[in-house]
Amino acid sequence: MLRTLRLIPTLSRANMHSTAHNFGAAQARLKEPEDCLAFNAEFPGPCHYHQLYEESLANPDTFWTNIASQLHFKHKSDKGLEYNFDQRKGDVFVKFMDGSITNVAFNCLERNIFRGLGDKIAYKWEGNADGDYESITYNELRTKVVEFSRVLKNRGVKKGDVVGIYLPMIVELPIAMLACARIGAIHSVVFAGFSSNALAERLRQSGAKTLITCDGFYRGKKHIPLKSIADEALMICKNINHSVESTICFEHLKRVTATGAASEVAVINDEENWDNAVADSKEVSAPVEWCQAEDPLFILYTSGSTGAPKGIVHTNAGYMTSAYYSMQVTFDAKPETDVYWCMADCGWITGHTYAVYGPLLNGMTSVLFEGIPSFPDYSRTWKIVDKHQVSKLYTSPTAVRSMMAHPDHMVKDYERSKLKVIGTVGEPMNPCAWKWLNEVVGEKACAIVDTYWQTETGCHLLTSHHTAVPQQSGCGNLPFLGISPQLLDDNGKKIRGEGHGTLVVDRAWPGMMRTIWGDHKRFIDAYFSPYPGYYFTGDGAKRDDEGHYWVTGRVDDLMNVSGHLLSTAEIEAAIASHPMVVEAAVVATSHKVKGQTPYAFVTIPDTAKFSDKIVNEMKAIIRKKIGPIAVPDIIQFAPGLPKTRSGKIVRRILRKVADGEKEANLGDTSTLTDETVIHELWVNRPIKL
Ligand code: WT7
């Protein structure tokens, strides 16, 4: 029986006190169970959370292996968590249940089927066009996964090979991911909104020799010719000396309602066609490949603050255990009755952990949505919630902000009586979006659960723990079980109690990344060198007197646009590849819906030549090299960029220009080489600011 937070390991008082944590105030106030405030009748109360949390840190091996024992292992070693976060003591590594043998796809499918869930619906697929709908049971999903595993085998894909997946939110996306997991291949999903260049770069970096895609799809009224973008990427791959040997293309468009004119017809050769490939490989054997706990399960690329994107590697046993457990706890999962909907795309980690692995491992029924909240109009989300009686919804502050700008009846016309939990992820939740979710959507009967985590962490690090802690507006978050966050000051010293600092984690948990694909040194440099002994998140946070954390944002050169991390360096490099550009600098500025948006400053040799045409050319380059999401709202001409004497661009000043601040509020500029360029920045600022 699956139960949330019901796993109560035997508590030993001695253990509870051996790992003092920063909950002094909260614990002092909540000593006895009768002091606890319940959010709902079933809820075990804050004491339970604090006890369980203490236990998870005091006996991590028992805690995590107990959870893993609810999953299927062909062989279990006697190992728990092993790790080293301090490079001065040797190589940085993390392992969980090393030497154990399992298969994640087996746990998502066969394990549930053996438990009698074969006829249960795994996915309710809602297409982009309102009315396009299909459902698939666990049995049917398994059949499709086995079929596609045969295709991969037939194409020569072996355990440990990397398979690129470039698909929109259609059922074939989890099918392809699970087929890879079944045969021990490593999937590398690339978001279907990324450009051909971005796809090519990721295929080359990961060494993928196989690519899975589809003919095209509609995003609202826009037709995305995915196959031709993929073909272009394969041409680029050839030019950069990486050859993808095999492509499999699913014909998706023929089963959907067109919502706009198709910009082009996809050319699919017979040998690329998914259905042909399935028919041709019927006789191929593709049994479950039993994998080592620490074999890679997937690679997922995320922006780095410098250089190329980082291929984050997650492995089998640890990722599976964390995905399974965090799904249960954070969403108070009730697989028997829940209809759960994670709106995130599988091109991001949220889609991996909370649209595929987490819900399937728990035997949930999930909605899988191909479309966008604004199409055919802003009531679409609530129409789907009503139609499928969704009880748990996982969305983003960006999506919420875009919806709340429209009349409330677009929500209220639809029934939301089953909705109990609304989770958000990607960016800090702002108070007015929280209020709208609470009052308009949730009618004060839903838990609003802000979840903080990263591609690298694999699962939630901070969440509201709404079943254990009373909800308050804009409440900060508590660490997830087994997660030990710390705040460090500017000197790298631990801050005790209340404070504001850099958010780090001082010990490993099962679901965290293991390395950067092909670049273990970068893994250490980026995450463990800044503060030896700690995992560095790249974010800043505040902690209040009750141990609640409030994430304040990135402390590095990454920006967060609609919940997606973008590297300023990557956008700058794209702009600088325009032949007229001398230099470019990009900063993040705040945006009503997207949270943040890029704002670029560009220097070209001849002022008079700076025109809309050039700006549009630069935007086209960024769209092509990175994707539409990275295109700056404003590209401003700058005759020179403010620099320090050592040549470092002073982004602080550029941010002030971008944020529309007055020139008088500049602060100290005495360390800059040429102060006259600063005034020019204000002179050239677009009028509409
Ligand atoms: C970065 C990770 C995890 C899936 C989505 C993004 C920011 C994420 C929150 C939150 C404040 C948040 C952080 C983090 N972030 N969730 N609840 N409150 N900031 O995954 O692309 O790896 O980005 O997103 O800055 O480091 P990602």
Side-chain angles (χ1 to χ4, degrees), residues 349-350 425-428 450-455 539 554 560 565:
I349 191 71
T350 310
V425 60
E427 315 139 69
D450 174 29
T451 62
Y452 164 83
W453 60 298
Q454 310 175 300
T455 307
D539 288 301
R554 302 290 309 181
N560 190 327
L565 287 189

Side-chain angles (χ1 to χ4, degrees), residues 546-658:
E546 292 189 54
H548 291 112
Y549 288 81
W550 309 67
V551 176
T552 48
R554 302 290 309 181
V555 294
D556 54 16
D557 284 338
L558 291 178
M559 67 179 88
N560 190 327
V561 179
S562 300
H564 304 309
L565 287 189
L566 294 174
S567 144
T568 49
E570 214 182 340
I571 306 174
E572 284 165 4
I575 301 176
S577 71
H578 186 287
M580 288 201 49
V581 172
V582 176
E583 201 170 28
V586 174
V587 295
T589 184
S590 58
H591 186 277
K592 236 170 52 205
V593 172
K594 294 187 266 188
Q596 291 189 316
T597 186
Y599 187 119
F601 296 85
V602 176
T603 307
I604 61 169
D606 185 350
T607 317
K609 292 217 172 103
F610 197 84
S611 61
D612 284 353
K613 182 171 164 285
I614 289 187
V615 166
N616 288 337
E617 283 168 9
M618 290 174 198
K619 289 187 174 177
I621 295 176
I622 301 166
R623 201 170 290 122
K624 194 150 176 42
K625 283 196 183 266
I626 310 171
I629 192 167
V631 175
D633 279 21
I634 294 173
I635 297 185
Q636 175 182 330
F637 172 67
L641 295 172
K643 289 192 183 156
T644 61
R645 280 166 221 283
S646 60
K648 203 168 185 296
I649 295 170
V650 185
R651 287 166 205 279
R652 169 177 65 82
I653 293 179
L654 298 178
R655 268 184 222 118
K656 290 197 181 213
V657 180

Side-chain angles (χ1 to χ4, degrees), residues 7 43 86 176 186 237 304 412 465 480 520 561 565 580 644:
L7 183 93
F43 127 122
D86 191 342
I186 304 164
C237 279
K412 294 196 164 169
H465 290 285
F480 190 75
H520 195 64
V561 179
L565 287 189
M580 288 201 49
T644 61

Side-chain angles (χ1 to χ4, degrees), residues 312-451:
I312 303 302
V313 177
H314 285 285
T315 56
N316 279 267
Y319 175 80
M320 173 169 77
T321 306
S322 283
Y324 167 74
Y325 188 56
S326 58
M327 172 78 218
Q328 276 181 35
V329 174
T330 298
F331 294 100
D332 188 23
K334 304 219 167 16
E336 301 83 2
T337 49
D338 271 341
V339 176
Y340 162 79
W341 178 17
C342 167
M343 291 173 73
D345 194 287
C346 292
W348 312 109
I349 191 71
T350 310
H352 279 59
T353 308
Y354 299 107
V356 180
Y357 291 112
L360 293 179
L361 287 165
N362 282 286
M364 312 277 291
T365 293
S366 302
V367 173
L368 194 75
F369 180 41
E370 184 193 19
I372 46 177
S374 56
F375 183 79
D377 61 41
Y378 275 97
S379 64
R380 184 72 192 278
T381 303
W382 315 110
K383 205 169 176 185
I384 294 174
V385 167
D386 183 343
K387 177 174 169 192
H388 300 293
Q389 296 286 290
V390 171
S391 53
K392 311 281 161 73
L393 180 70
Y394 200 16
T395 183
S396 65
T398 290
V400 173
R401 288 193 294 264
S402 74
M403 292 187 279
M404 64 187 267
H406 299 271
D408 289 354
H409 77 82
M410 303 200 101
V411 180
K412 294 196 164 169
D413 287 350
Y414 299 93
E415 202 201 300
R416 288 150 283 118
S417 62
K418 292 272 185 349
L419 201 56
K420 292 284 172 289
V421 176
I422 307 170
T424 63
V425 60
E427 315 139 69
M429 188 63 179
N430 50 319
C432 71
W434 194 97
K435 194 164 176 280
W436 184 78
L437 275 184
N438 187 38
E439 288 169 15
V440 179
V441 179
E443 297 188 10
K444 298 191 177 165
C446 283
I448 318 288
V449 178
D450 174 29
T451 62

Side-chain angles (χ1 to χ4, degrees), residues 196 543 565:
S196 51
R543 185 172 49 220
L565 287 189

